[in-house]
Amino acid sequence: MNKTNDIAAIVMASGLSRRMGEDKLKLPFRGKMLYQHIVDIISELPFKEKIIVTSKDYIAEYSKGKNFTIVMNPEAYKGQSLSIIKGLEKASESKGYMFFVADQPFLKKETILHLIQIFDENSDKITLPFFCGIKGNPVIFPHRLKKDLLNIKGDQGGSVVIKKEWDESVKIDFNHPIEGLDIDTMENYNKYKES
């Protein structure tokens, strides 16, 4: 049984799209706006909580309709760490916190559930997905690391905590590299935007 009801899903959707040069999350991508793919797939799973951290009203409005708790982050320029902290501050006490990025449109529900199943068997350790050997998202952090995450700074995100816990982390490799793909550049966007 997949224990999604013990885990808070936190989506980070307040990035500034510096590499893209425009607001990539609202770009059309395979019949939806880019960010809607991850919001829709999470909305279909019975997480304990579904939280989205964003600086954009259009994302907040859409996600609210999908039963997400909205956390506005008008200071997104301060870096990814602030999104993580704001999401965690809003989350109630949970067994784990699963962090998603909003520009990963190919992630499958089965992959999310598999990660949760592995975490449920190792619930005091970070669960890290790899896609054909490349570390990706979503990452699940156990409750014991919540304070560590609340103390991160700048644009380092959760990587500083992962580095500290690296040897003890559970690493799962998936043989589908496209699932781990972030749409970070216009080149990737143009390559993959059509169905």
Side-chain angles (χ1 to χ4, degrees):
M1 180 179 178
N2 293 299
K3 302 294 184 70
T4 45
N5 57 349
D6 291 333
I7 294 174
I10 301 173
V11 182
M12 294 179 291
S14 53
L16 301 177
S17 305
R18 290 188 181 100
R19 291 176 65 189
M20 188 72 88
E22 62 180 286
D23 184 359
K24 66 181 176 183
L25 295 183
K26 71 182 343 181
L27 290 173
F29 192 91
R30 301 194 175 204
K32 303 178 181 183
M33 288 187 192
L34 180 59
Y35 80 92
Q36 290 175 336
H37 291 272
I38 204 73
V39 169
D40 288 352
I41 199 168
I42 292 171
S43 73
E44 296 170 3
L45 295 168
F47 283 101
K48 180 178 182 180
E49 292 176 291
K50 300 163 190 174
I51 296 166
I52 191 161
V53 184
T54 186
S55 57
K56 302 170 176 72
D57 290 337
Y58 69 90
I59 293 178
E61 191 65 30
Y62 181 83
S63 302
K64 188 176 180 182
K66 296 285 183 174
N67 296 314
F68 276 72
T69 297
I70 311 302
V71 180
M72 295 306 291
N73 181 20
E75 297 179 302
Y77 60 87
K78 291 185 176 179
Q80 191 184 79
S81 295
L82 187 59
S83 290
I84 292 172
I85 291 166
K86 282 182 170 290
L88 278 176
E89 286 177 340
K90 193 68 174 179
S92 60
E93 297 297 290
S94 297
K95 183 176 178 178
Y97 305 93
M98 192 169 195
F99 285 90
F100 295 83
V101 292
D103 60 351
Q104 194 175 351
F106 296 110
L107 187 66
K108 294 179 181 175
K109 186 187 300 185
E110 293 77 17
T111 299
I112 296 170
L113 291 173
H114 184 63
L115 287 166
I116 290 168
Q117 182 179 0
I118 297 300
F119 174 75
D120 193 50
E121 297 164 2
N122 305 272
S123 58
D124 63 335
K125 298 179 179 180
I126 297 173
T127 298
L128 288 169
F130 285 73
F131 299 93
C132 292
I134 300 173
K135 184 168 70 69
N137 289 295
V139 176
I140 311 177
F141 291 89
H143 179 266
R144 72 176 179 84
L145 294 175
K146 184 176 182 179
K147 287 183 180 178
D148 295 62
L149 288 167
L150 287 170
N151 287 322
I152 60 177
K153 306 205 182 306
D155 212 27
Q156 61 191 182
S159 60
V160 65
V161 179
I162 292 171
K163 185 176 181 180
K164 187 182 77 170
E165 296 280 328
W166 183 258
D167 291 341
E168 297 299 318
S169 297
V170 179
K171 304 164 184 78
I172 310 299
D173 200 28
F174 298 92
N175 292 318
H176 304 99
I178 196 170
E179 280 197 71
L181 183 72
D182 296 341
I183 306 298
D184 278 339
T185 64
M186 194 56 73
E187 181 183 5
N188 267 355
Y189 173 71
N190 288 327
K191 182 176 180 180
Y192 294 104
K193 67 180 178 181
E194 303 297 341
S195 56

